[in-house]
Amino acid sequence: MIMDLVVARSIPLKVAFELFLTKIPPYLTYTFPMAIFLAVVYVIGQFSEHGEIMAMKASGASIKYFLPAILVFSFSVQLIMFYVNEFVAPKAYEREKFLLSKSYNNIAVQSRENVFFNENNNFYFFRKVDPKNKRFEEILLIELLERGNIKLIIYAKKATWDEIKGWTFMDGEVYSLNKEGDMIFQGRFKEYKVVLDRNPYQLVPSSKPIEEMSIFEIIDQIRLLEGTGLNLNNLKTEFHIRIALPFTCPIFAVLALGLGLNMGRGGRSLSFGLSVISIFVYYVLFSIGRSLAKAGIVPYFLGAWLGNIIFLIIGSYLLNKKR
């Protein structure tokens, strides 16, 4: 895509290079665990090839002396990974959008699901926004008091927009609450006029896809939308995933140590192949668990941690074999 911009739109090479840099932080999440796995397997394989593991056993030293140092290293990388994922990557996404908006003069706004933003102390949630076809489905409006308590909740199955009349929510329900949070009014409506100073094309650019949110923004959304009746599987699964992913670093370190100790001689030639296969299997399990959790088939925690749990069990078993 970057080369297309350079060739077709003649963007400066400086902008193209900056676009390239913005794409690096989001992918570091997947490269940190693989780097740790490859490093540990390779080093332990080297020790095995040179007979140092055998010498340790002969001297009576436990081969598990490797574990504390490796865990300290992997937990350090885990903290770096969390920082990059939650602070650097969102900024990179924002910068990429800004650079792309400058490169493309007229970008067609695509439809998007789960659009969320706040304006004038009101929080808006659109399950689906399709500006081109003028389709806006499953809308939730939460109006807050100055102290942050919920004053009004409006849910509508769909909405329409007119340049003169503005926004109209249709076929929905309205709930009014007092300062103590008790419901004082509940009713249904066919049409409900809403003051929102944004046209349909301004909704999507103002919102963030869930992949671009930090874990703290996800927590805020879950707290805000909890109890509204909306399906929060996607948000809750993503929250657990953000916690589970950094823990792949120590788990992969344990697995790599177990594999390295069981490979024996010839470990150097197998280390890269084992790392690639293990990463592939892990992300297959990760994708399966995430899909099951988002579909509500398994609990959020189990879906997010499925790959971690399985790989930790395998790594612990391999280490116990070398006890």
Side-chain angles (χ1 to χ4, degrees):
M1 182 184 71
I2 297 177
M3 288 306 301
D4 290 340
L5 291 173
V6 173
V7 175
R9 294 186 175 267
S10 302
I11 67 171
L13 291 178
K14 180 182 178 181
V15 175
F17 181 69
E18 191 172 353
L19 271 172
F20 171 76
L21 292 179
T22 61
K23 292 184 175 295
I24 294 177
Y27 289 101
L28 289 178
T29 301
Y30 303 97
T31 57
F32 278 134
M34 184 174 181
I36 289 179
F37 188 97
L38 180 59
V40 174
V41 170
Y42 181 81
V43 169
I44 300 300
Q46 285 289 86
F47 285 166
S48 297
E49 275 198 2
H50 292 89
E52 295 176 15
I53 299 295
M54 188 177 297
M56 287 182 62
K57 290 180 180 179
S59 65
S62 173
I63 56 177
K64 292 187 179 179
Y65 287 163
F66 290 114
L67 189 58
I70 290 175
L71 286 179
V72 169
F73 170 69
S74 62
F75 277 115
S76 300
V77 176
Q78 175 186 339
L79 293 176
I80 297 173
M81 178 177 170
F82 180 83
Y83 178 80
V84 170
N85 199 35
E86 299 304 324
F87 298 98
V88 180
K91 295 294 183 183
Y93 276 121
E94 291 178 9
R95 185 60 181 171
E96 181 186 9
K97 282 185 175 180
F98 173 75
L99 293 173
L100 286 175
S101 65
K102 288 180 62 178
S103 302
Y104 290 103
N105 294 326
N106 293 309
I107 276 188
V109 179
Q110 302 296 321
S111 63
R112 180 179 290 174
E113 296 183 352
N114 301 323
V115 172
F116 177 89
F117 61 92
N118 66 81
E119 185 175 271
N120 299 326
N121 213 33
N122 292 342
F123 290 81
Y124 297 86
F125 177 87
F126 287 72
R127 173 65 67 185
K128 185 173 183 180
V129 173
D130 187 353
K132 183 178 179 180
N133 298 312
K134 296 183 179 179
R135 290 180 58 189
F136 314 97
E137 301 175 359
E138 294 190 60
I139 305 101
L140 182 70
L141 164 59
I142 300 177
E143 183 178 342
L144 301 181
L145 296 171
E146 292 182 358
R147 292 182 298 174
N149 296 327
I150 297 178
K151 174 183 178 182
L152 191 70
I153 300 175
I154 299 174
Y155 169 78
K157 291 185 178 179
K158 59 182 180 178
T160 61
W161 182 83
D162 182 85
E163 291 186 4
I164 299 176
K165 297 180 180 179
W167 288 94
T168 303
F169 287 5
M170 305 182 68
D171 193 12
E173 300 176 358
V174 57
Y175 306 89
S176 181
L177 290 78
N178 59 23
K179 295 180 180 180
E180 288 72 33
D182 300 321
M183 188 181 300
I184 57 177
F185 175 79
Q186 176 183 358
R188 297 186 60 86
F189 60 84
K190 288 294 182 182
E191 293 186 358
Y192 191 98
K193 301 295 182 181
V194 177
V195 178
L196 175 57
D197 296 328
R198 302 188 185 205
N199 63 46
Y201 293 94
Q202 294 172 328
L203 295 181
V204 174
S206 65
S207 64
K208 282 186 178 181
I210 191 170
E211 295 81 7
E212 299 179 14
M213 296 180 187
S214 69
I215 190 172
F216 307 104
E217 291 172 322
I218 293 174
I219 292 173
D220 288 340
Q221 283 208 28
I222 292 174
R223 287 176 177 173
L224 182 65
L225 301 177
E226 194 80 59
T228 60
L230 289 173
N231 187 337
L232 301 181
N233 286 355
N234 197 32
L235 283 170
K236 291 182 177 180
T237 301
E238 188 66 26
F239 166 73
H240 286 286
I241 286 173
R242 295 298 181 87
I243 299 175
L245 273 180
F247 276 93
T248 55
C249 292
I251 290 173
F252 271 45
V254 171
L255 178 64
L257 179 58
L259 283 173
L261 292 173
N262 282 274
M263 283 192 309
R265 295 184 180 275
R268 180 170 58 181
S269 59
L270 293 174
S271 59
F272 182 76
L274 282 173
S275 65
V276 172
I277 293 172
S278 299
I279 291 290
F280 174 77
V281 172
Y282 173 83
Y283 284 114
V284 168
L285 293 172
F286 170 79
S287 298
I288 293 173
R290 178 172 58 182
S291 298
L292 292 175
K294 288 185 176 181
I297 299 175
V298 300
Y300 315 114
F301 178 87
L302 180 60
W305 288 81
L306 180 64
N308 289 9
I309 293 171
I310 293 175
F311 271 47
L312 182 60
I313 292 172
I314 296 173
S316 301
Y317 168 75
L318 292 173
L319 279 179
N320 286 327
K321 283 182 63 178
K322 288 294 181 179
R323 180 176 291 178

